[in-house]
Amino acid sequence: MHVQDYWLILAFFALVLLPAPFLGRYLFRAMEGQKTLLSPIFQPVERLCYRIAGIDSEAEQDWKTYALALLAFTLASLLALFAILMLQGLLPLNPQQLPGLEWTLAFNTAVSFVTNTNWQAYSGEAALSYFSQMLGLGVQNFVSPAVGLAVLVVFCRGIARRSSNSVGNFWVDLTRATLYGLLPLCLVLALFLVWQGVPQTFLEYVTAHTLSGTDQVVPLGPAASQIAIKQLGTNGGGFFGVNSAHPFENPTAWSNLLEMAAILLIPAALVFTFGHYVKDLRQSRALLASMLILFVLGLGLGLYAEYQPNPALAALPIEQVGSLEGKESRFGTTASMLWATATTAASNGSVNAMHDSFSAIGGMIPLFNIMLGEIVFGGVGAGLYGMLLFVLIAVFLAGLMIGRTPEYLGKKLEAREVRLLVATLLVMPLGVLVFGALAVSLEGPAASISNPGAHGFSQALYAYSSGAGNNGSAFAGFGANTPFHNLMIGLAMLLGRFGYILPVLAIAGSLAAKKRAPLGSNSFPTHGPLFVTLLTLVILLVGGLTFLPALALGPIAEHLGLVQGF
Amino acid sequence: MDTQTLALKHAKLNKPAQTSFAALWKPALKQAFVKLDPRQLLRSPVMLVVELTAVVTSVLCFLPNPQVSSGLAVQIAVWLWFTVLFANFAEALAEGRGKARADSLKAGSQGLGARRQNSDGQYQTVAASSLRKGDLVRVEAGELIPGDGEVIEGIAAVNEAAITGESAPVIRESGGDRSAVTGNTRVVSDWLLVQITANPGESTLDRMIALVEGAKRQKTPNEVALDILLIGLTLIFLLVVATLQPFARYAGGDLPLVYLVALLVTLIPTTIGGLLSAIGIAGMDRLVRLNVIAKSGRAVEAAGDVHVLLLDKTGTITFGNRRCTAMLKAPGVADKELNEAALLASLADDTAEGKSIVEYLRGLHPLQEPERSAIKSIAFSAETRLSGADWNGHSFRKGAVDAVLNYLKLGRDEVPAPLAREIEKIAQSGGTPLLVAGDGRLLGVIHLKDVVKPGIRERFAELRQMGIRTVMVTGDNPLTAAAIAAEAGVDDVIAEATPEKKLQRIRAEQAEGKMVAMCGDGANDAPALAQADVGLAMNDGTQAAREAANLVDLDSDPTKLLDVVQVGKELLVTRGALTTFSVANDVAKYFAILPALFAGIYPQLGVLNLMQLASPQSAILSAIVFNALIIVALIPLALRGVRVQAADAASLLRRNLLIYGLGGIVAPFVGIKAIDVLLVALGLV
């Protein structure tokens, strides 16, 4: 690694962490309807939205009503998007005359964007019209992270409120998250990207005559706006097939840096939003510390692996300086690994390099990040509520070990909360292991795997992890567009999304109804280094124990085989 | 020797046996096999899974598999059965200690007769077990009281050794705060008419038995929560192991079912799953040995979380028998007038204070006492806080200063100055001034003195260190209350407390989310005891208090709450420590079993065999053996409980994390390696 590599990493952390406290406070105020810098602009729009939709913004919902509203909204979104994708051939803004999608692919894509996964079993420029991209996927790129954010603030309210039956109003939370949270940031980033050279046009694809005398079709489209929100909303679904490795999606070093930072910008800020809700920013710093430890551990191990010479080539008289296989040479090894870590730490899933071509360990890091449930910063809202679930487990153990019935920030954890917690713990093993086992043991679906042996197993494992984890990044090399995988990964995505959201809402409802005990000298502090250590270990232990056998048959076997010359 | 005496003797003989391990392990061993009944194991789902795997493995022993020698399969099956048996043994052992005592008590109550009073006033001998709430029974000297109840008539010395272990008899009498009696205790003098207050199955004795018998025991709330977590972990590992076969097949291998079963059992939290029930029973047994009866486990767990402790002053902080030590007359009142009024106001007063006044006056000089029957007594009520008598057309009242002034419709500033000074002095010295009024005239003041128990100050300091605030509750006036509070070192005082006032205070604390404990013995404490999260009633108090509380202290020592807190904490810490240990163990087990399982598929994974175990077979067997033996090794810890020092939460957690977390990761590496060496040396693999 060179000096500029270190500067890049430093700049990345600065861009993510420095604005976080301010953005976090802004988001808290915005979500609670307090006055913010942008209120004069957005408040009239917000009121207009409520008037049009007939929503009483003062009326609060209990968690069940909230969950029903959320499910209804998701179902409507799903059906609308499915219809758009099936019928795009008949719809306007289709200069390339692209036909409607095959139904399993349409289902998979609709689920993918509604669940904030953005798994893409298609290639954007070859399959989707501008209409589908903008009014289909683009809309979901905004509202699906807004739903995640809404669920998070419900969880925050659950902890902050006392003896309360209500947890907020879904329609209000959804509107505010979109309007105040995502829209302004997206606007700024989109303009920046246009300046850097990302196209934003309705013109049809351009045909160019190359020097070699052949014709090349250069795809265009309204890309900049889509890319801004795909990064900020931890969506990850690229406008073009190869995602942010494409020069039109990610033209310069600056666009690369900002797109990378944009992945974690809101998730990092939300940690502070949580602190404002519970009126204790020390909690935010503790959570952030644990996230940073996990992030740096993953990044460090990944970079180390990527910069190791390939043992298979060791005998050849060449000098190896990091592996560039599968990486965009404009960005190099460090920027690729950094992006891979960030995009899987969050549930983003955009890529600027092909993870399939990383070294075995370098490819395992993104995979393991996803398997942990993407709680290292994580998706907008989804990451932090996932992290808070781990906090509850850690608190349960810590409480017992100091001889008190477990409580977090004064809220007691009882059988009901533990039951719901356990339900969420089962989501990833079900989605990854059970669905994955099905995929590799059936002959037809297993044929989608392009490499033999351990590496091929990693491809399948990655695909189902990405689906169940709502990440959406692809390991590449896995032929995902078959009816079986479209349907199964679609189901995995639904499981991964609602297997968390529903228990989280129920836990929030149950916590909100509880009294909040005062924190005395005999209660356990959840902000010191001791708790950060415990939390980090619990996360690694739960993730490790669940997925070590599968990883042993995938990347670990591949790596050890390479090292030992098998 | 009649049957009753025999039973008592039996109970006494059994006592030393309870603590001896030798007398316990044999029946426990037998119970371990009895408990293999899957219906019994339903209470402990993790062990039920282990038993199922043991059955499956046993069947597999008869189905030859070229990959696994039948010798190995048999050994694995045997050790799986051992795992279940060891867990059962731990539970039986925990039950044994409490059961020995409960059995002896049960034996005592069997065939016990009772003299029940019929509606016509005649007595009829019936079986004690047929007594219902509300029945009246007469108990003579030398007989056992047939059930829990309240003394309606009579006064007697009662030996409660069978329940409390304290051999000195105590006095039980009607009225006042010493009217409750416990079943199976012996009247040693005089007689009592007792109203039964518990139906069969609800008595103190029944509760004691229910606490320590595993099958009847109700799981405590936290135990239920932990159980769910353990089931969750079991399900996760079930998915992990079940999907391993398709994954291995994809890689071109095939894993023998016996090995997968072995992997499953080593991964699921068998250590805590097997010992969870024993921990709970042993905890309750510790409580029983402290002479505290818990009506529910919830209260014991809640005790560890208590923020505020409300203590009735009388009998708790002070000895309670406030005695009259002086009498001072108001200006212009004759000595005789005051003495007579005080005597008449106290003669019909059953309370310790009333009696002490009569005794004081009797000791002063002989008095002419009127016929008791001629006096119309006015009993103390919590509302008026006055007592006294009407006699010959005269009325005499005594009571707290405010109460009497209120009764006389006098303002505080209307009290004659010399008397007011005396009242002040008495109050400031920690005494209780009791005003005496006769025919609507203020006559004088009685000085009641109460002594703070020695050592109580230190106990409160200890409580404070654990983060528990103490609040003294007293009917005294604020001045008196403050003086005693300062002497005893409590944090706060509720003076001139009425039942409503106590209740309000508890509700107010609870509304802030605090956990409130309350110690009390009087009938007027009952509502507060019921409202509090932890209500500790004194056994020698009133039946109403014992009914309302969720803990009863047989020794009637209110500071016992400290010990209950300790037991509650130990219970939770032991569970937490063993859960952490159990899960941390899995790391080493993976390093033992995974390389063994995958050796045929990916030989390069042999690097993960960090312990350098001799062969795949010995690796798998060693892990299973370790998994079973660790349960036995931890039985003493489960029964004794992890000691909890009075330290702040963070250092407690650091210490336990180091011992049980880090220890849980390291211990199996050492243990599995040692077993592997041994198995190879013995030629078992």
Side-chain angles (χ1 to χ4, degrees), chain A residues 400-403 405 454 515-517 522 524 530 545 557 564, chain B residues 222 305 466 510 512-513 569 572-573 590 604 607 649 653 656:
Chain A
L400 287 182
M401 277 198 286
I402 58 164
T405 57
K515 288 181 261 186
R516 191 172 173 188
N522 54 352
F524 170 67
L530 186 62
L545 291 179
Q564 295 172 31
Chain B
N222 176 264
D305 299 338
M466 297 169 94
Q510 283 173 335
E512 288 174 38
K569 280 189 184 296
L572 294 176
V573 172
Y590 264 144
Q604 62 263 39
V607 183
L653 180 68
N656 286 333

PDB file of all heavy atoms in Angstrom, chain A residues 400-403 405 454 515-517 522 524 530 545 557 564, chain B residues 222 305 466 510 512-513 569 572-573 590 604 607 649 653 656:
ATOM      1  N   LEU A 400     -27.527 -10.713  33.422  1.00  0.00           N
ATOM      2  CA  LEU A 400     -27.457 -11.920  34.236  1.00  0.00           C
ATOM      3  C   LEU A 400     -26.141 -11.959  35.003  1.00  0.00           C
ATOM      4  O   LEU A 400     -26.113 -12.311  36.179  1.00  0.00           O
ATOM      5  CB  LEU A 400     -27.560 -13.157  33.346  1.00  0.00           C
ATOM      6  CG  LEU A 400     -28.932 -13.461  32.762  1.00  0.00           C
ATOM      7  CD1 LEU A 400     -28.883 -14.740  31.957  1.00  0.00           C
ATOM      8  CD2 LEU A 400     -29.948 -13.594  33.862  1.00  0.00           C
ATOM      9  N   MET A 401     -25.057 -11.599  34.316  1.00  0.00           N
ATOM     10  CA  MET A 401     -23.755 -11.779  34.956  1.00  0.00           C
ATOM     11  C   MET A 401     -23.468 -10.765  36.052  1.00  0.00           C
ATOM     12  O   MET A 401     -22.486 -10.904  36.770  1.00  0.00           O
ATOM     13  CB  MET A 401     -22.653 -11.798  33.907  1.00  0.00           C
ATOM     14  CG  MET A 401     -22.554 -13.204  33.327  1.00  0.00           C
ATOM     15  SD  MET A 401     -21.037 -13.513  32.497  1.00  0.00           S
ATOM     16  CE  MET A 401     -21.280 -12.591  31.030  1.00  0.00           C
ATOM     17  N   ILE A 402     -24.297  -9.716  36.154  1.00  0.00           N
ATOM     18  CA  ILE A 402     -24.131  -8.838  37.309  1.00  0.00           C
ATOM     19  C   ILE A 402     -25.271  -9.044  38.296  1.00  0.00           C
ATOM     20  O   ILE A 402     -25.414  -8.315  39.267  1.00  0.00           O
ATOM     21  CB  ILE A 402     -24.042  -7.352  36.917  1.00  0.00           C
ATOM     22  CG1 ILE A 402     -25.298  -6.934  36.162  1.00  0.00           C
ATOM     23  CG2 ILE A 402     -22.806  -7.084  36.098  1.00  0.00           C
ATOM     24  CD1 ILE A 402     -25.460  -5.448  36.087  1.00  0.00           C
ATOM     25  N   GLY A 403     -26.100 -10.050  38.058  1.00  0.00           N
ATOM     26  CA  GLY A 403     -27.130 -10.398  39.028  1.00  0.00           C
ATOM     27  C   GLY A 403     -28.332  -9.488  39.003  1.00  0.00           C
ATOM     28  O   GLY A 403     -28.957  -9.245  40.034  1.00  0.00           O
ATOM     29  N   THR A 405     -32.038  -8.643  36.686  1.00  0.00           N
ATOM     30  CA  THR A 405     -32.822  -9.052  35.536  1.00  0.00           C
ATOM     31  C   THR A 405     -32.493  -8.043  34.436  1.00  0.00           C
ATOM     32  O   THR A 405     -32.439  -6.849  34.677  1.00  0.00           O
ATOM     33  CB  THR A 405     -34.328  -9.059  35.851  1.00  0.00           C
ATOM     34  OG1 THR A 405     -34.693  -7.766  36.301  1.00  0.00           O
ATOM     35  CG2 THR A 405     -34.645 -10.070  36.919  1.00  0.00           C
ATOM     36  N   ALA A 454     -14.737 -25.359  -3.941  1.00  0.00           N
ATOM     37  CA  ALA A 454     -15.017 -24.454  -2.837  1.00  0.00           C
ATOM     38  C   ALA A 454     -15.415 -23.070  -3.337  1.00  0.00           C
ATOM     39  O   ALA A 454     -16.303 -22.426  -2.785  1.00  0.00           O
ATOM     40  CB  ALA A 454     -13.806 -24.367  -1.914  1.00  0.00           C
ATOM     41  N   LYS A 515     -42.472   0.660  31.790  1.00  0.00           N
ATOM     42  CA  LYS A 515     -41.932   1.799  32.514  1.00  0.00           C
ATOM     43  C   LYS A 515     -40.435   1.846  32.268  1.00  0.00           C
ATOM     44  O   LYS A 515     -39.824   0.845  31.912  1.00  0.00           O
ATOM     45  CB  LYS A 515     -42.200   1.650  34.002  1.00  0.00           C
ATOM     46  CG  LYS A 515     -43.648   1.868  34.345  1.00  0.00           C
ATOM     47  CD  LYS A 515     -43.853   1.725  35.824  1.00  0.00           C
ATOM     48  CE  LYS A 515     -44.374   0.361  36.172  1.00  0.00           C
ATOM     49  NZ  LYS A 515     -44.737   0.151  37.527  1.00  0.00           N
ATOM     50  N   ARG A 516     -39.859   3.014  32.464  1.00  0.00           N
ATOM     51  CA  ARG A 516     -38.422   3.097  32.294  1.00  0.00           C
ATOM     52  C   ARG A 516     -37.796   3.292  33.666  1.00  0.00           C
ATOM     53  O   ARG A 516     -37.998   4.304  34.318  1.00  0.00           O
ATOM     54  CB  ARG A 516     -38.087   4.277  31.378  1.00  0.00           C
ATOM     55  CG  ARG A 516     -36.651   4.264  30.935  1.00  0.00           C
ATOM     56  CD  ARG A 516     -36.420   5.328  29.875  1.00  0.00           C
ATOM     57  NE  ARG A 516     -34.997   5.420  29.584  1.00  0.00           N
ATOM     58  CZ  ARG A 516     -34.472   6.349  28.819  1.00  0.00           C
ATOM     59  NH1 ARG A 516     -35.242   7.242  28.262  1.00  0.00           N
ATOM     60  NH2 ARG A 516     -33.170   6.387  28.622  1.00  0.00           N
ATOM     61  N   ALA A 517     -37.049   2.279  34.105  1.00  0.00           N
ATOM     62  CA  ALA A 517     -36.452   2.355  35.435  1.00  0.00           C
ATOM     63  C   ALA A 517     -35.307   3.353  35.430  1.00  0.00           C
ATOM     64  O   ALA A 517     -34.594   3.478  34.442  1.00  0.00           O
ATOM     65  CB  ALA A 517     -35.940   0.982  35.842  1.00  0.00           C
ATOM     66  N   ASN A 522     -26.398   0.759  40.687  1.00  0.00           N
ATOM     67  CA  ASN A 522     -26.293  -0.695  40.592  1.00  0.00           C
ATOM     68  C   ASN A 522     -26.664  -1.219  39.219  1.00  0.00           C
ATOM     69  O   ASN A 522     -26.663  -2.408  38.990  1.00  0.00           O
ATOM     70  CB  ASN A 522     -27.154  -1.373  41.661  1.00  0.00           C
ATOM     71  CG  ASN A 522     -28.586  -0.899  41.603  1.00  0.00           C
ATOM     72  OD1 ASN A 522     -28.895   0.039  40.861  1.00  0.00           O
ATOM     73  ND2 ASN A 522     -29.458  -1.526  42.347  1.00  0.00           N
ATOM     74  N   PHE A 524     -26.061  -1.544  35.072  1.00  0.00           N
ATOM     75  CA  PHE A 524     -24.845  -1.741  34.300  1.00  0.00           C
ATOM     76  C   PHE A 524     -24.743  -0.686  33.201  1.00  0.00           C
ATOM     77  O   PHE A 524     -25.668  -0.485  32.429  1.00  0.00           O
ATOM     78  CB  PHE A 524     -24.886  -3.140  33.711  1.00  0.00           C
ATOM     79  CG  PHE A 524     -23.820  -3.376  32.714  1.00  0.00           C
ATOM     80  CD1 PHE A 524     -22.505  -3.405  33.118  1.00  0.00           C
ATOM     81  CD2 PHE A 524     -24.129  -3.542  31.383  1.00  0.00           C
ATOM     82  CE1 PHE A 524     -21.511  -3.613  32.202  1.00  0.00           C
ATOM     83  CE2 PHE A 524     -23.138  -3.752  30.464  1.00  0.00           C
ATOM     84  CZ  PHE A 524     -21.839  -3.786  30.876  1.00  0.00           C
ATOM     85  N   LEU A 530     -15.972  -1.669  28.244  1.00  0.00           N
ATOM     86  CA  LEU A 530     -16.297  -3.047  28.586  1.00  0.00           C
ATOM     87  C   LEU A 530     -17.501  -3.530  27.785  1.00  0.00           C
ATOM     88  O   LEU A 530     -17.506  -4.632  27.231  1.00  0.00           O
ATOM     89  CB  LEU A 530     -16.591  -3.136  30.087  1.00  0.00           C
ATOM     90  CG  LEU A 530     -16.813  -4.544  30.628  1.00  0.00           C
ATOM     91  CD1 LEU A 530     -15.570  -5.385  30.449  1.00  0.00           C
ATOM     92  CD2 LEU A 530     -17.200  -4.487  32.097  1.00  0.00           C
ATOM     93  N   LEU A 545     -20.296 -18.639  14.997  1.00  0.00           N
ATOM     94  CA  LEU A 545     -20.789 -19.987  15.313  1.00  0.00           C
ATOM     95  C   LEU A 545     -21.827 -20.448  14.302  1.00  0.00           C
ATOM     96  O   LEU A 545     -21.935 -21.619  13.987  1.00  0.00           O
ATOM     97  CB  LEU A 545     -21.389 -20.019  16.730  1.00  0.00           C
ATOM     98  CG  LEU A 545     -20.386 -19.864  17.867  1.00  0.00           C
ATOM     99  CD1 LEU A 545     -21.083 -19.886  19.211  1.00  0.00           C
ATOM    100  CD2 LEU A 545     -19.326 -20.951  17.811  1.00  0.00           C
ATOM    101  N   ALA A 557     -11.705 -23.138   2.885  1.00  0.00           N
ATOM    102  CA  ALA A 557     -11.116 -24.282   2.185  1.00  0.00           C
ATOM    103  C   ALA A 557     -10.351 -23.812   0.948  1.00  0.00           C
ATOM    104  O   ALA A 557      -9.256 -24.303   0.647  1.00  0.00           O
ATOM    105  CB  ALA A 557     -12.204 -25.274   1.798  1.00  0.00           C
ATOM    106  N   GLN A 564      -1.727 -24.308   0.607  1.00  0.00           N
ATOM    107  CA  GLN A 564      -1.056 -25.599   0.723  1.00  0.00           C
ATOM    108  C   GLN A 564      -0.855 -26.278  -0.615  1.00  0.00           C
ATOM    109  O   GLN A 564      -0.327 -27.391  -0.689  1.00  0.00           O
ATOM    110  CB  GLN A 564      -1.864 -26.521   1.648  1.00  0.00           C
ATOM    111  CG  GLN A 564      -1.909 -25.999   3.069  1.00  0.00           C
ATOM    112  CD  GLN A 564      -2.860 -26.816   3.920  1.00  0.00           C
ATOM    113  OE1 GLN A 564      -3.032 -28.015   3.695  1.00  0.00           O
ATOM    114  NE2 GLN A 564      -3.489 -26.170   4.881  1.00  0.00           N
TER     115      GLN A 564
ATOM    116  N   ASN B 222     -37.323 -14.838  34.604  1.00  0.00           N
ATOM    117  CA  ASN B 222     -36.062 -14.751  33.877  1.00  0.00           C
ATOM    118  C   ASN B 222     -35.625 -16.115  33.375  1.00  0.00           C
ATOM    119  O   ASN B 222     -35.018 -16.247  32.312  1.00  0.00           O
ATOM    120  CB  ASN B 222     -34.992 -14.137  34.775  1.00  0.00           C
ATOM    121  CG  ASN B 222     -33.661 -14.118  34.102  1.00  0.00           C
ATOM    122  OD1 ASN B 222     -32.848 -15.007  34.292  1.00  0.00           O
ATOM    123  ND2 ASN B 222     -33.447 -13.121  33.267  1.00  0.00           N
ATOM    124  N   ASP B 305     -33.227  -6.439  41.944  1.00  0.00           N
ATOM    125  CA  ASP B 305     -33.378  -5.180  41.204  1.00  0.00           C
ATOM    126  C   ASP B 305     -33.927  -4.039  42.051  1.00  0.00           C
ATOM    127  O   ASP B 305     -34.176  -2.959  41.548  1.00  0.00           O
ATOM    128  CB  ASP B 305     -34.362  -5.370  40.038  1.00  0.00           C
ATOM    129  CG  ASP B 305     -33.874  -6.400  39.052  1.00  0.00           C
ATOM    130  OD1 ASP B 305     -32.657  -6.638  39.040  1.00  0.00           O
ATOM    131  OD2 ASP B 305     -34.691  -6.948  38.317  1.00  0.00           O
ATOM    132  N   MET B 466     -25.216  -1.171  47.623  1.00  0.00           N
ATOM    133  CA  MET B 466     -25.790  -1.960  46.537  1.00  0.00           C
ATOM    134  C   MET B 466     -26.759  -1.134  45.719  1.00  0.00           C
ATOM    135  O   MET B 466     -27.386  -1.650  44.796  1.00  0.00           O
ATOM    136  CB  MET B 466     -26.527  -3.173  47.112  1.00  0.00           C
ATOM    137  CG  MET B 466     -25.628  -4.131  47.846  1.00  0.00           C
ATOM    138  SD  MET B 466     -26.578  -5.354  48.770  1.00  0.00           S
ATOM    139  CE  MET B 466     -26.626  -6.673  47.596  1.00  0.00           C
ATOM    140  N   GLN B 510     -43.102   3.448  42.057  1.00  0.00           N
ATOM    141  CA  GLN B 510     -43.269   2.513  40.945  1.00  0.00           C
ATOM    142  C   GLN B 510     -43.556   3.247  39.640  1.00  0.00           C
ATOM    143  O   GLN B 510     -43.129   2.818  38.575  1.00  0.00           O
ATOM    144  CB  GLN B 510     -44.382   1.517  41.243  1.00  0.00           C
ATOM    145  CG  GLN B 510     -43.927   0.438  42.223  1.00  0.00           C
ATOM    146  CD  GLN B 510     -45.066  -0.460  42.668  1.00  0.00           C
ATOM    147  OE1 GLN B 510     -46.221  -0.056  42.633  1.00  0.00           O
ATOM    148  NE2 GLN B 510     -44.733  -1.664  43.095  1.00  0.00           N
ATOM    149  N   GLU B 512     -42.286   5.879  38.725  1.00  0.00           N
ATOM    150  CA  GLU B 512     -41.002   6.320  38.165  1.00  0.00           C
ATOM    151  C   GLU B 512     -40.198   5.142  37.626  1.00  0.00           C
ATOM    152  O   GLU B 512     -39.046   5.295  37.235  1.00  0.00           O
ATOM    153  CB  GLU B 512     -40.173   7.013  39.249  1.00  0.00           C
ATOM    154  CG  GLU B 512     -40.687   8.372  39.642  1.00  0.00           C
ATOM    155  CD  GLU B 512     -39.907   8.932  40.820  1.00  0.00           C
ATOM    156  OE1 GLU B 512     -38.683   8.715  40.859  1.00  0.00           O
ATOM    157  OE2 GLU B 512     -40.525   9.536  41.701  1.00  0.00           O
ATOM    158  N   GLY B 513     -40.801   3.968  37.674  1.00  0.00           N
ATOM    159  CA  GLY B 513     -40.125   2.789  37.145  1.00  0.00           C
ATOM    160  C   GLY B 513     -39.254   2.087  38.160  1.00  0.00           C
ATOM    161  O   GLY B 513     -38.487   1.205  37.819  1.00  0.00           O
ATOM    162  N   LYS B 569     -29.497 -12.466  43.315  1.00  0.00           N
ATOM    163  CA  LYS B 569     -28.386 -12.110  42.434  1.00  0.00           C
ATOM    164  C   LYS B 569     -27.569 -13.348  42.062  1.00  0.00           C
ATOM    165  O   LYS B 569     -27.205 -13.533  40.904  1.00  0.00           O
ATOM    166  CB  LYS B 569     -27.483 -11.080  43.110  1.00  0.00           C
ATOM    167  CG  LYS B 569     -28.030  -9.668  43.041  1.00  0.00           C
ATOM    168  CD  LYS B 569     -26.999  -8.680  43.537  1.00  0.00           C
ATOM    169  CE  LYS B 569     -27.522  -7.265  43.581  1.00  0.00           C
ATOM    170  NZ  LYS B 569     -27.886  -6.699  42.279  1.00  0.00           N
ATOM    171  N   LEU B 572     -29.187 -15.350  39.327  1.00  0.00           N
ATOM    172  CA  LEU B 572     -29.037 -14.794  37.982  1.00  0.00           C
ATOM    173  C   LEU B 572     -27.600 -14.924  37.492  1.00  0.00           C
ATOM    174  O   LEU B 572     -27.350 -15.283  36.343  1.00  0.00           O
ATOM    175  CB  LEU B 572     -29.460 -13.318  37.979  1.00  0.00           C
ATOM    176  CG  LEU B 572     -30.933 -13.045  38.254  1.00  0.00           C
ATOM    177  CD1 LEU B 572     -31.192 -11.560  38.322  1.00  0.00           C
ATOM    178  CD2 LEU B 572     -31.799 -13.660  37.182  1.00  0.00           C
ATOM    179  N   VAL B 573     -26.654 -14.624  38.373  1.00  0.00           N
ATOM    180  CA  VAL B 573     -25.251 -14.665  37.958  1.00  0.00           C
ATOM    181  C   VAL B 573     -24.862 -16.094  37.555  1.00  0.00           C
ATOM    182  O   VAL B 573     -24.167 -16.299  36.558  1.00  0.00           O
ATOM    183  CB  VAL B 573     -24.326 -14.146  39.076  1.00  0.00           C
ATOM    184  CG1 VAL B 573     -22.871 -14.366  38.717  1.00  0.00           C
ATOM    185  CG2 VAL B 573     -24.586 -12.672  39.327  1.00  0.00           C
ATOM    186  N   TYR B 590     -15.794 -26.501  17.642  1.00  0.00           N
ATOM    187  CA  TYR B 590     -15.690 -26.379  16.187  1.00  0.00           C
ATOM    188  C   TYR B 590     -14.299 -26.796  15.720  1.00  0.00           C
ATOM    189  O   TYR B 590     -14.140 -27.518  14.748  1.00  0.00           O
ATOM    190  CB  TYR B 590     -15.965 -24.933  15.750  1.00  0.00           C
ATOM    191  CG  TYR B 590     -17.387 -24.676  15.316  1.00  0.00           C
ATOM    192  CD1 TYR B 590     -18.009 -23.468  15.595  1.00  0.00           C
ATOM    193  CD2 TYR B 590     -18.106 -25.632  14.604  1.00  0.00           C
ATOM    194  CE1 TYR B 590     -19.310 -23.217  15.193  1.00  0.00           C
ATOM    195  CE2 TYR B 590     -19.406 -25.388  14.198  1.00  0.00           C
ATOM    196  CZ  TYR B 590     -19.999 -24.185  14.502  1.00  0.00           C
ATOM    197  OH  TYR B 590     -21.288 -23.945  14.096  1.00  0.00           O
ATOM    198  N   GLN B 604      -7.036 -29.896   3.339  1.00  0.00           N
ATOM    199  CA  GLN B 604      -6.333 -28.683   3.785  1.00  0.00           C
ATOM    200  C   GLN B 604      -6.934 -28.122   5.073  1.00  0.00           C
ATOM    201  O   GLN B 604      -6.282 -27.380   5.793  1.00  0.00           O
ATOM    202  CB  GLN B 604      -6.344 -27.607   2.684  1.00  0.00           C
ATOM    203  CG  GLN B 604      -7.716 -27.099   2.270  1.00  0.00           C
ATOM    204  CD  GLN B 604      -8.243 -27.804   1.023  1.00  0.00           C
ATOM    205  OE1 GLN B 604      -8.063 -29.002   0.869  1.00  0.00           O
ATOM    206  NE2 GLN B 604      -8.898 -27.057   0.146  1.00  0.00           N
ATOM    207  N   VAL B 607      -5.496 -28.055   8.966  1.00  0.00           N
ATOM    208  CA  VAL B 607      -4.779 -26.975   9.674  1.00  0.00           C
ATOM    209  C   VAL B 607      -5.594 -26.490  10.871  1.00  0.00           C
ATOM    210  O   VAL B 607      -5.054 -26.036  11.875  1.00  0.00           O
ATOM    211  CB  VAL B 607      -4.523 -25.793   8.716  1.00  0.00           C
ATOM    212  CG1 VAL B 607      -3.732 -24.700   9.397  1.00  0.00           C
ATOM    213  CG2 VAL B 607      -3.792 -26.280   7.476  1.00  0.00           C
ATOM    214  N   ALA B 649     -21.230  -2.760  39.219  1.00  0.00           N
ATOM    215  CA  ALA B 649     -21.654  -3.644  38.133  1.00  0.00           C
ATOM    216  C   ALA B 649     -20.533  -3.917  37.136  1.00  0.00           C
ATOM    217  O   ALA B 649     -20.345  -5.050  36.703  1.00  0.00           O
ATOM    218  CB  ALA B 649     -22.852  -3.017  37.424  1.00  0.00           C
ATOM    219  N   LEU B 653     -18.964  -7.555  36.115  1.00  0.00           N
ATOM    220  CA  LEU B 653     -19.086  -8.092  34.760  1.00  0.00           C
ATOM    221  C   LEU B 653     -17.706  -8.451  34.205  1.00  0.00           C
ATOM    222  O   LEU B 653     -17.528  -9.506  33.596  1.00  0.00           O
ATOM    223  CB  LEU B 653     -19.762  -7.072  33.853  1.00  0.00           C
ATOM    224  CG  LEU B 653     -19.928  -7.539  32.413  1.00  0.00           C
ATOM    225  CD1 LEU B 653     -20.930  -8.667  32.324  1.00  0.00           C
ATOM    226  CD2 LEU B 653     -20.353  -6.410  31.502  1.00  0.00           C
ATOM    227  N   ASN B 656     -16.583 -11.737  35.786  1.00  0.00           N
ATOM    228  CA  ASN B 656     -17.307 -12.911  35.305  1.00  0.00           C
ATOM    229  C   ASN B 656     -17.045 -13.196  33.838  1.00  0.00           C
ATOM    230  O   ASN B 656     -17.026 -14.347  33.415  1.00  0.00           O
ATOM    231  CB  ASN B 656     -18.806 -12.741  35.557  1.00  0.00           C
ATOM    232  CG  ASN B 656     -19.143 -12.915  37.023  1.00  0.00           C
ATOM    233  OD1 ASN B 656     -18.440 -13.609  37.742  1.00  0.00           O
ATOM    234  ND2 ASN B 656     -20.193 -12.253  37.472  1.00  0.00           N
TER     235      ASN B 656
END
